[in-house]
Amino acid sequence: MNREELHALLHPWFDGELDAARSLEFEKHLDDCPSCRQQIENQQSLRKALTAPELYYPADNALRRRISRNLKKAVRTESRMVSHWFSWNAAAAVVILAVGIVIGVLLRGVPSSTSSKALVNEAVAANVRSLMANHLTDVLSSDQHTVKPWFDGKLDFSPPVKDLAAQGFPLMGGRLDYLDGRPVAALVYKRRLHTINVFVWPAATPPSLPAGSGSHDGYNVIHWTATGMNFWVVSDLNTEELGEFVRLLQSPG
Amino acid sequence: MDNPDKLRRFEQTVLPHLDAAHNLARWLTKSAPDAEDVTQEAMLRAFRFFDGFRGSEARPWLLQIVRNTFYSWREQNHRLEQSFSVEEEAVEIADDRPTPPELHQQDLDARLLRETLATLPDDFREVLTLRELEDCSYKEIAAIMNIPMGTVMSRLARARQQLERLLRQRIAGVQP
């Protein structure tokens, strides 16, 4: 081995990655190479300094708890999926019919039987399901003029779709979901890594629920009724930024 | 697989490496809130992919997911102000200051080291984080970064040389 080849062994030797034979050869070389010895001394002090606790960032307890919660939720969702997912498409067709006939006829004008708390649960579950099942969007588009017409013929109403990319909430697409006993439009927006689900469906007159907000299972929920539609916004985004998103959604134009 | 059982197995094999996952995310993103976002997303992805995990080494497996999550996160967020590539960095900067002292004669300050490490190009910072902070073998680093072992070796050598040079310049600069 020439000198250059031996010098190339310095780092793997320092990392204990050489086999015994090459290791011995390098150590022999070290005896008469002051430059390699110097480098190794420098690397040793560097390695020692790199073990300082200031350089290591363990996960803090809040993050640990958040992840633990997310995982438990993922398990619940996956369990539900097994019985839920295969039959969903067939069930949806039946249910849409049922909604038209049963709810339309029997419950017209009657305050919704779903209480606010149950609806929060449902909305959060729908949000989690959308994240876990790789079923975030049926129509994948950042263009409001693609997303809005996609719902035509799939729903008996047309949800308002806003482009908020310039404000830092890009539209990812939309899908059909099922909430409050009926098919609803789900619009998906992003904020950094956070997903925001906006569920929209026609409101009863008068609205069966007052506007409100809260958090459930670590998700923030804000809901209100406007222009004859129920809006439910669910996300793990912080309340401040989610509030900003809602204000943008509510602003005219 | 039964789901509660899947969670229990995940908690036993993968969750113990959460600190390593967060540490790598922190050094890749160079930001505390971004590191939390990437770690959370990576853990959910890991759980989703866990059925397909057949290996015995959960830590490099998880670190690879963290790394992939980071790169797709950066793409999504259009973070194009990322640091210069390794190739450009090979250009030596002329330094007319007196020869800086050898590192082993120095008391290396952790804050100075942290700042200097943060200025390294992404590839160098990543390989050093995996080797020195996470104590990964060349084979593990090769799997995590998806590069050949030979590249691990040469990249690590260049990363260390550059870190050493920058540190010595800084020490020479701050000392009267």
Side-chain angles (χ1 to χ4, degrees), chain A residues 116-164:
Chain A
S116 165
K117 201 159 172 243
L119 197 49
V120 169
N121 278 332
E122 254 193 83
V124 168
N127 179 66
V128 172
R129 199 162 59 233
S130 74
L131 300 178
M132 292 312 300
N134 269 334
H135 187 72
L136 199 50
T137 52
D138 288 325
V139 53
L140 186 67
S141 172
S142 55
D143 180 7
Q144 54 180 323
H145 304 296
T146 307
V147 174
K148 193 175 165 69
W150 181 84
F151 285 109
D152 287 348
K154 297 186 180 66
L155 292 169
D156 55 357
F157 63 96
S158 182
V161 181
K162 264 193 173 178
D163 178 9
L164 299 173

Side-chain angles (χ1 to χ4, degrees), chain A residues 200-230:
Chain A
V200 186
W201 70 100
T205 41
S208 50
L209 278 178
S213 63
S215 75
H216 182 73
D217 270 1
Y219 289 93
N220 290 311
V221 181
I222 302 177
H223 63 92
W224 70 96
T225 302
T227 58
M229 297 277 178
N230 289 321

Side-chain angles (χ1 to χ4, degrees), chain B residues 3 17 40 62 74 87 99 105-106 111 125 146:
Chain B
N3 278 301
H17 307 296
Q40 271 198 86
L62 178 64
R74 195 170 66 178
E87 271 63 42
T99 314
Q105 294 157 352
Q106 297 296 314
R111 201 174 51 90
R125 201 173 60 254
N146 197 21

